[in-house]
Amino acid sequence: MISKIEQNIESIAQEVRGGEQDLARQQKTLKFYVRDIHRQLSGWLSMQGYSEDKRSYEMSWALGCVGFIGVILAITRSADSDIEWIREHTVAFRIWAVVFCTIFICASLERSAVFRSLLSFVSTKFLASIILSGIVLYSRGKAAGYVNSVFNVDASAFPITTLLTTGLLVIKLVVPFVLGTALVLSLVHIFIGIGWAKGKLEGKANYFPPLSSLLSVLVSGVILYYGWSWSHDQIADSRVPEKIYLMAHALDFNYSHNCSNVASNAPVVFLGPSQEAVLVAPYKLEAFDFADFFEKTAEIPSDFMRVPCEY
């Protein structure tokens, strides 16, 4: 009995010990299989880590390119240029600069550990969806009020203008959040730059300057400059009615109609489902482009006429 137990123990010990001779044996030991599993698992984990590092590296480069393009567009717009094409597309340069820089800011926020941790909770996503829905509904109601105050008719007569005004008001509500994010991001990277400079003076910083921090500060500066100036000028509350008036003339007013009691060249908007009445604008606006719409002021007339349409 004791001899049999010793043989069993010896067999188990042989299975656990294994050895290089396992490679030549037809029947492999347990240690061989455990070692093979460990080798394959280590390779898989190494490949996963490499893929993650590669994805992070590519994302950082992509964000850097987006931010760099935004800063270059902003500088090109700000500098006096002798090229006529650049002068003609000044507003386009501004807007694209802000768009690229906003993408950089939002993507940087989304990649932060704090933001990703918050988004991992269902309650955070639920509250965010409620807030966004509330912003859209509030903007829709306020847009209808703006349209009514300009033309003294229901906003349903101007569907495209009301829709775009809603989008404009959503942007106005989101601007403070973007500006706050840009300010915090710039301060964080300014402190990172100060820490690098201090370490460099003390001989502790043996790495290259944090160029990503410099780019983040420049991008944040573009957002803060244009966001603050536009929110107090081009898209200020006092100028929203002007935008509505111009959008309505470009998108909702009809410049061709069959109403015999209305001048043929007068812009009109048909009112009601039966379209038996029209809202007549006092005069036809001259053609304007997006730069005129965005930057120039417009005088809003008050003598819109509501008359029946006689055929």
Side-chain angles (χ1 to χ4, degrees):
M1 183 67 179
I2 297 175
S3 176
K4 187 174 182 180
I5 294 175
E6 291 178 350
Q7 290 178 1
N8 291 337
I9 294 175
E10 180 64 26
S11 299
I12 295 174
Q14 180 65 29
E15 283 289 322
V16 174
R17 281 199 305 269
E20 297 298 330
Q21 62 271 22
D22 286 344
L23 298 175
R25 293 172 55 183
Q26 185 175 3
Q27 184 177 1
K28 310 299 182 184
T29 62
L30 178 62
K31 182 177 180 180
F32 175 84
Y33 290 110
V34 171
R35 185 169 53 192
D36 187 61
I37 293 173
H38 178 269
R39 179 180 58 81
Q40 295 189 29
L41 182 60
S42 299
W44 182 81
L45 291 175
S46 177
M47 183 61 66
Q48 289 295 108
Y50 172 76
S51 300
E52 185 68 24
D53 293 341
K54 182 180 178 182
R55 185 160 51 249
S56 177
Y57 177 78
E58 291 175 350
M59 180 63 69
S60 299
W61 266 102
L63 278 181
C65 291
V66 169
F68 181 75
I69 292 173
V71 173
I72 291 298
L73 289 175
I75 294 175
T76 303
R77 155 62 192 100
S78 301
D80 294 332
S81 177
D82 296 330
I83 303 176
E84 183 179 357
W85 183 83
I86 293 180
R87 293 198 304 269
E88 291 177 351
H89 296 83
T90 294
V91 176
F93 274 94
R94 285 182 181 179
I95 292 177
W96 279 112
V98 172
V99 168
F100 278 109
C101 291
T102 303
I103 292 174
F104 181 91
I105 293 291
C106 294
S108 299
L109 176 64
E110 188 176 352
R111 294 181 68 198
S112 65
V114 174
F115 192 84
R116 284 183 295 176
S117 299
L118 290 176
L119 281 184
S120 63
F121 298 102
V122 177
S123 58
T124 304
K125 298 177 182 178
F126 178 71
L127 290 176
S129 63
I130 292 178
I131 293 172
L132 291 176
S133 300
I135 290 175
V136 173
L137 292 175
Y138 171 79
S139 301
R140 174 62 178 82
K142 196 169 183 180
Y146 270 119
V147 172
N148 177 260
S149 66
V150 173
F151 301 107
N152 296 316
V153 296
D154 190 82
S156 60
F158 298 87
I160 303 177
T161 301
T162 304
L163 177 64
L164 294 181
T165 304
T166 301
L168 176 62
L169 295 179
V170 169
I171 292 174
K172 283 174 59 63
L173 291 175
V174 172
V175 162
F177 171 76
V178 177
L179 293 181
T181 303
L183 180 60
V184 172
L185 183 67
S186 63
L187 292 176
V188 169
H189 285 282
I190 285 174
F191 283 121
I192 291 175
I194 293 175
W196 176 85
K198 182 179 178 181
K200 195 69 174 177
L201 293 175
E202 295 176 354
K204 298 179 181 179
N206 298 322
Y207 50 91
F208 288 105
L211 299 179
S212 59
S213 296
L214 176 61
L215 180 61
S216 298
V217 172
L218 294 176
V219 168
S220 300
V222 173
I223 293 293
L224 291 172
Y225 174 76
Y226 285 115
W228 181 264
S229 62
W230 286 354
S231 60
H232 288 77
D233 187 7
Q234 283 86 348
I235 59 174
D237 291 340
S238 59
R239 295 193 61 182
V240 171
E242 300 176 11
K243 308 300 182 187
I244 292 174
Y245 176 63
L246 294 175
M247 283 190 293
H249 264 279
L251 302 172
D252 282 315
F253 271 98
N254 298 281
Y255 292 92
S256 178
H257 58 85
N258 294 321
C259 300
S260 59
N261 59 326
V262 179
S264 59
N265 61 342
V268 299
V269 170
F270 290 91
L271 304 175
S274 60
Q275 299 186 350
E276 295 178 352
V278 292
L279 183 72
V280 184
Y283 52 83
K284 181 179 180 179
L285 289 180
E286 297 181 358
F288 59 91
D289 57 14
F290 183 79
D292 297 330
F293 164 79
F294 189 74
E295 291 196 323
K296 293 184 178 180
T297 59
E299 183 179 354
I300 304 175
S302 58
D303 50 344
F304 290 96
M305 297 185 298
R306 180 174 180 173
V307 298
C309 181
E310 299 176 0
Y311 294 97

